[in-house]
Amino acid sequence: MIHEERVILMTKLQAYEDGSGKKDIAIASYFRGDYLGSQMLKSVIYVTIAAALFYAGYIFYNLENFMKDLYQTDWFEYARILLTRYLILVIGYALITYLVYAYRYTKAKKNLKKYYGGLKELNAMYHEES
């Protein structure tokens, strides 16, 4: 005999498992600190690559002025300004990354808690039948 409530619950659980459940399970397989640390490391690497590409493009675009001022530039001051801007960019980007991925981790844990509650409910339905 088919129990309608059990079929509805199984359908909801399977839909979650096939949809956003895959991502949630992958996220929740990490400890919170490990997940946030790996995501922040990736974002710092990506922002470093992006900043280097942007800076190289800027130099190539202004190559004539750069070559004119090559010997008149205070390179220590130039490096200090460039490093300061880079650090501000990296810290800002890391902060945004932390906030976004902390929210995603919390949301995934909450969704999985509901999913596991649904599995327990389904298990209870099977035990009631027996």
Side-chain angles (χ1 to χ4, degrees):
M1 174 177 228
I2 298 178
H3 296 286
E4 190 173 324
E5 291 175 13
R6 194 168 59 196
V7 171
I8 291 171
L9 182 58
M10 287 185 340
T11 305
K12 285 180 183 179
L13 292 174
Q14 188 63 42
Y16 171 74
E17 209 174 298
D18 290 340
S20 62
K22 289 180 184 178
K23 288 181 185 176
D24 291 346
I25 290 170
I27 289 171
S29 67
Y30 292 97
F31 290 113
R32 184 176 189 272
D34 293 341
Y35 178 71
L36 293 176
S38 68
Q39 296 303 322
M40 288 177 64
L41 179 63
K42 283 195 280 188
S43 71
V44 166
I45 290 169
Y46 292 146
V47 78
T48 300
I49 292 169
L53 290 173
F54 176 78
Y55 184 66
Y58 176 78
I59 286 182
F60 285 134
Y61 183 74
N62 295 316
L63 191 58
E64 185 177 345
N65 292 335
F66 184 77
M67 294 304 285
K68 283 181 187 176
D69 298 335
L70 188 64
Y71 295 109
Q72 299 166 352
T73 303
D74 180 13
W75 288 105
F76 290 114
E77 182 67 19
Y78 190 73
R80 188 187 64 75
I81 291 171
L82 190 64
L83 186 62
T84 303
R85 289 178 182 170
Y86 169 73
L87 288 176
I88 290 171
L89 178 69
V90 166
I91 290 170
Y93 202 78
L95 179 64
I96 292 169
T97 300
Y98 177 82
L99 294 174
V100 167
Y101 284 100
Y103 172 75
R104 286 184 186 178
Y105 187 84
T106 304
K107 186 177 172 185
K109 282 291 205 179
K110 186 177 86 172
N111 289 342
L112 280 174
K113 190 173 183 179
K114 288 180 187 177
Y115 173 70
Y116 291 137
L119 287 176
K120 286 180 183 178
E121 184 180 340
L122 183 63
N123 191 25
M125 287 179 183
Y126 276 111
H127 284 290
E128 284 178 8
E129 186 178 299
S130 307

